[in-house]
Amino acid sequence: MLEKDIETILITQEEIHNRCEKLGKELTAAYKNTQPLVVGVLKGAIPFMADIVRQMDTYIELDFMDVSSYGDATVSSGEVKIVKDLDTNVKGRDMLIVEDIIDSGRTLRYLVDLFKYRQANSVAIVTLLDKPKGRVVDIEADYIGFDVPDEFVVGYGLDFAEQYRNLPYVGVLKPNIYETKV
Ligand SMILES: O=P(O)(O)OC[C@H]1O[C@H](OP(=O)(O)OP(=O)(O)O)[C@H](O)[C@@H]1O
Ligand SMILES: [Mg+2]
C-alpha cells in the first residue's frame, strides 16, 4: 500500500536492525558506569528510540521532548519552538539525545545548548540518519546510523506531511506525491 508511493528504498529494515545492534553495544559500553537520561525527540525519533534502547543492556531512564521547526513543510522554518518539555531535571545528568535525522542541525543545536544551559553533566547524540549536506549550523552526532544524500527522506519515523512514519525502512518519495500534497 504505502510502498507504491516510494521511488527508492535507501536503507532496508534489515540494515537498520543490524546497525541498531552495533550502536547498542557501543552505547552499552559508553554508559555502563552511569545512568543516562535518554531523551527522544518527538515524533520522528520514536521508532529508532524503541529499537536502540532495547539494544542497551544497562541502566537508563527515558524522557521525551517535542520541538518543532518544520510543521508540514519539507524545508526548516529556521525557528525552533518547544511543544513539550522534559519532565526530568537534567542538572548533573548524563544525557543521550535520540534523533531520527540531523539535517540543518537547528533542532539539535538548540537542544544541546538548552541542556548545557540547564547544567547537564554531558550531552551526547545518537541519530539514525545524518544528512551532512543539509547543515546550516555547526553540530555533529556522537553516534550515527547512516549518512543520507541531500534528498527529503521518509520512513522509520520520518514524515512527509505527518505520513510515512510507520514505513519499516527509509526511502525517497515519488515526485508526484509532493505535487499532489503541496
Ligand atoms: O536538523 P533539522 O533541520 O533541525 O531537522 C531535523 C529535525 O526535523 C524533524 O523533526 P520535525 O521538527 O519535523 O518534527 P517531527 O519529528 O515531529 O517530524 C526531525 O525529526 C528532526 O527532529
Ligand atoms: Mg517532521
Side-chain angles (χ1 to χ4, degrees), residues 67 74 77 110 122:
V67 291
T74 58
S77 68
Y110 175 85
S122 68

Side-chain angles (χ1 to χ4, degrees), residues 112-127:
V112 169
D113 290 348
L114 179 70
F115 298 153
K116 285 188 176 158
Y117 174 78
R118 290 179 179 177
Q119 300 179 0
N121 183 53
S122 68
V123 184
I125 298 166
V126 58
T127 186

Side-chain angles (χ1 to χ4, degrees), residues 71-128:
D72 279 353
T74 58
V75 179
S76 165
S77 68
E79 184 198 339
V80 181
K81 66 171 198 240
I82 297 180
V83 181
K84 182 221 167 283
D85 208 334
L86 297 175
D87 296 330
T88 317
N89 180 357
V90 306
K91 189 170 178 184
R93 297 296 302 265
D94 293 304
M95 302 185 69
L96 176 66
I97 306 175
V98 183
E99 258 292 25
D100 52 350
I101 190 165
I102 313 184
D103 193 331
S104 74
R106 286 193 183 102
T107 303
L108 277 168
R109 180 74 271 157
Y110 175 85
L111 287 177
V112 169
D113 290 348
L114 179 70
F115 298 153
K116 285 188 176 158
Y117 174 78
R118 290 179 179 177
Q119 300 179 0
N121 183 53
S122 68
V123 184
I125 298 166
V126 58
T127 186
L128 175 68

Side-chain angles (χ1 to χ4, degrees), residues 19-52:
R19 192 74 190 104
C20 283
E21 275 185 354
K22 289 218 176 69
L23 284 174
K25 288 203 174 83
E26 286 180 43
L27 290 167
T28 299
Y31 288 104
K32 67 176 190 292
N33 295 322
T34 175
Q35 204 161 304
L37 182 67
V38 180
V39 175
V41 186
L42 297 170
K43 306 170 217 166
I46 287 289
F48 179 51
M49 184 170 184
D51 285 350
I52 199 77

